Amino acid sequence: MSQLHPAVSSRDHISGDTSAPIVLVEYGDYQCPYCGAAASIVQGIQKRFGKELCFVFRNFPLSMHPEAQNAAVVAEFAAKHGKFWEAHDALYANQRLLGGPFYVQLVKSLGLSEADLEQSLQKDEFESRIREDIAGGERSGVNGTPAFYINGEKFDSPGGFQDLEPVIEELLRPTR
C-alpha cells in the first residue's frame, strides 16, 4: 500500500481536528465526475462520524479536464480569504457550470473581489501551491482521482469510494 507524502500539515485544507481517530485525505479534481460523486459521499461521512473524522482536501487537477486547474485556482483564491470549504462545495455542486462566468458568480456570492480573482489568475498566484499538491500526490502513488488516504494509507477497495463509510466504521470499532 502507498503511504501519504507529505503528512497532513497546517498548509492543508482541513475540516475537523487532525488528532481525530480517522484522518481522511482526498486528492481531487473539481471537474472529475467521479470526484463530484465522491463529494456527496464524503459530506455524508463527515456528518455521520463528526468529531471522529478529520477531512483534508488536496488539489490534483488532471490535464484532461480543461477547467480543473482554473477551478483549483478559484478554490485557493477563496482559501486565501477564509472561504475554501464554501468554494470547494460550490465547485463540486456545480461541476457542469465550471468556467469564467460561474467563477465570477461564485466569487461574488462569497463576498470576494472579481478583479482580485482575475489578477490571481493572470499572475498564476496559486500555481506553486497546486503544483506542490500534485507532486505530493505523485509521491503518494496517486494515479487518478479521487484518491483517498485513511490515516496515511492509500485507500484501495474493489468498491471504490463507495466503500469508504463501511471501512471507516470498521476502523473506528475498536475506539468505541
Side-chain angles (χ1 to χ4, degrees), residues 90-103:
L91 289 164
Y92 276 131
N94 296 282
Q95 276 187 317
R96 294 174 188 254
L97 301 175
L98 295 181
F102 175 71
Y103 302 146

Side-chain angles (χ1 to χ4, degrees), residues 12-118:
D12 284 307
H13 302 296
I14 299 169
S15 176
D17 184 347
T18 56
S19 65
I22 300 293
V23 177
L24 177 65
V25 176
E26 176 186 359
Y27 281 93
D29 170 328
Y30 289 109
Q31 198 172 12
C32 166
Y34 300 107
C35 293
S40 62
I41 289 172
V42 169
Q43 288 173 347
I45 288 170
Q46 287 178 287
K47 285 180 185 147
R48 177 169 177 203
F49 296 110
K51 292 182 179 189
E52 294 177 294
L53 179 104
C54 173
F55 177 58
V56 176
F57 183 85
R58 292 178 177 171
N59 296 293
F60 203 86
L62 300 172
S63 59
M64 72 175 88
H65 296 134
E67 284 301 321
Q69 178 72 19
N70 285 340
V73 169
V74 170
E76 293 301 329
F77 174 78
K80 178 180 174 181
H81 300 283
K83 306 263 184 182
F84 174 78
W85 292 109
E86 295 91 335
H88 171 274
D89 293 349
L91 289 164
Y92 276 131
N94 296 282
Q95 276 187 317
R96 294 174 188 254
L97 301 175
L98 295 181
F102 175 71
Y103 302 146
V104 169
Q105 176 189 351
L106 174 58
V107 165
K108 285 181 178 179
S109 76
L110 296 175
L112 304 176
S113 165
E114 174 187 347
D116 289 349
L117 172 64
E118 185 60 37

Side-chain angles (χ1 to χ4, degrees), residues 144-165:
T145 58
F148 290 98
Y149 292 77
I150 299 174
N151 293 345
E153 296 281 330
K154 188 163 189 199
F155 171 77
D156 284 316
S157 172
F161 58 80
Q162 300 286 346
D163 287 345
L164 278 169
E165 188 169 339

